[in-house]
Amino acid sequence: MPELPEVETIKRTLQEKLPGRTICGVNIYLPKIIQTPSPEEFCRQVVDKRILDVGRRGKYLLISLSRGLMLVVHLRMTGQLVYTATDEPRSKHTHLVFHLNNGHQLRFTDMRQFGRFWLVPEKDLQAVSGLKDLGVEPLSGEFTIEFLDKELKARRTRLKTLLLDQTFISGLGNIYADEALYGAGLHPSRPANTLTTGEAQALFRAIRVVLEEGIASRGTSVRNYVDGTGQAGTFQEKLRVYGKSGRPCMRCGKTIERLRLGGRSTYFCPGCQK
């Protein structure tokens, strides 16, 4: 699933292309991806609207439209939202196409068909499922060492499970949680309330660093992620533990291991993360 660095990269690439464009037509090939309103009403409302801005909250893309409308997109596991020329060949997994007034298209493709769209008045944005419950943005000023230290001390949840909880910190997923825990030298199974203040500080720094590195590398393309113009990211070349079970740790040389936590694969170094 695209995580914060991937969604932020998509946001930034689309922000360069979409604002000022008008949606002059829509084709929906898989109606179930439209959560609200009905697919017919979705088409009626979105046509002739001008795109004002592209934003992000957690793993959600927020596309502001004229007349106070907001187009909310969650890519889920394999969704891609790509700005492209009309004559580019269309993938068989293309489920929605926005036709723009400059002759280009914004296409949504999704092999697993889990991605979803909402079109709502901007004032009703918090009514979108999942948005109102999102936790703090980890690259915002609200995410501080003091906040993290206090919250960790109040929770017994295992660290990896807690970092994946979108109501705690929004945007972190499997890849960047594993990389942050490795960077902080913390075992993913450790209860959150056992961390010292110094360890909480190390985790805070590691989360910030790994997310900023991911954004600077335009995301991680380990499967099918591409940015808003169809380009792959490069952070997969810098991964330290994620997906590397059986390989030696770059720090201590011990073999990286894999375990299951909360139904998710988790990668860690038993030497660096005791």
Side-chain angles (χ1 to χ4, degrees):
M1 178 184 292
E3 303 178 30
L4 188 154
E6 288 74 52
V7 181
E8 178 66 20
T9 301
I10 294 168
K11 182 206 85 171
R12 294 183 183 186
T13 51
L14 292 181
Q15 212 168 28
E16 297 173 356
K17 305 291 185 181
L18 296 182
R21 303 301 178 195
T22 297
I23 300 170
C24 51
V26 186
N27 293 114
I28 299 173
Y29 303 106
L30 187 68
K32 75 175 184 179
I33 67 173
I34 308 299
Q35 289 293 98
T36 189
S38 67
E40 296 76 18
E41 185 64 13
F42 180 95
C43 292
R44 189 190 70 78
Q45 289 191 32
V46 84
V47 169
D48 293 332
K49 299 302 185 296
R50 189 161 56 91
I51 299 171
L52 305 179
D53 196 12
V54 183
R56 178 192 60 78
R57 178 73 170 100
K59 300 177 186 179
Y60 291 80
L61 283 167
L62 307 175
I63 302 177
S64 300
L65 304 179
S66 57
R67 300 192 182 180
L69 289 176
M70 184 71 75
L71 179 62
V72 181
V73 186
H74 200 303
L75 301 172
R76 299 285 171 86
M77 295 294 292
T78 58
Q80 300 175 341
L81 194 64
V82 176
Y83 175 88
T84 184
T86 301
D87 58 1
E88 280 292 316
R90 199 173 73 205
S91 163
K92 68 176 181 179
H93 300 296
T94 301
H95 305 312
L96 187 150
V97 176
F98 296 98
H99 302 271
L100 306 175
N101 65 336
N102 65 342
H104 280 63
Q105 296 176 344
L106 183 64
R107 298 178 185 173
F108 175 71
T109 64
D110 188 359
M111 182 173 61
R112 298 287 294 276
Q113 301 183 9
F114 292 152
R116 293 295 182 264
F117 285 72
W118 296 258
L119 183 66
V120 297
E122 188 168 357
K123 63 182 178 61
D124 297 333
L125 187 59
Q126 292 305 309
V128 173
S129 174
L131 267 181
K132 65 181 177 63
D133 299 321
L134 287 179
V136 64
E137 287 280 337
L139 295 179
S140 72
E142 296 176 9
F143 184 63
T144 64
I145 291 174
E146 294 75 21
F147 164 84
L148 184 60
D149 187 33
K150 178 182 177 181
E151 291 297 319
L152 291 174
K153 284 180 167 55
R155 300 168 188 254
R156 298 180 181 180
T157 312
R158 292 177 175 182
L159 280 174
K160 172 65 180 293
T161 303
L162 182 59
L163 292 182
L164 295 183
D165 182 352
Q166 297 301 295
T167 67
F168 176 54
I169 299 175
S170 63
L172 278 178
N174 224 23
I175 295 174
Y176 296 95
D178 282 356
E179 293 294 310
L181 288 169
Y182 174 77
L186 298 169
H187 195 284
S189 294
R190 188 167 164 188
N193 64 352
T194 66
L195 268 65
T196 65
T197 296
E199 289 172 325
Q201 291 172 343
L203 180 58
F204 172 86
R205 289 191 293 269
I207 290 171
R208 283 281 182 92
V209 166
V210 75
L211 291 177
E212 289 168 353
E213 285 181 342
I215 292 170
S217 299
R218 303 177 65 81
T220 305
S221 293
V222 291
R223 293 183 181 86
N224 71 328
Y225 157 74
V226 293
D227 68 16
T229 57
Q231 303 302 307
T234 62
F235 193 62
Q236 65 274 11
E237 300 168 8
K238 302 176 183 179
L239 295 173
R240 285 87 167 179
V241 288
Y242 180 82
K244 297 187 180 295
S245 57
R247 302 183 193 180
C249 170
M250 61 187 297
R251 281 186 194 156
C252 71
K254 288 191 181 266
T255 302
I256 293 169
E257 297 181 4
R258 172 182 173 271
L259 59 81
R260 300 283 290 182
L261 278 179
R264 307 295 296 275
S265 291
T266 296
Y267 302 89
F268 70 102
C269 170
C272 299
Q273 299 168 261
K274 295 180 179 178

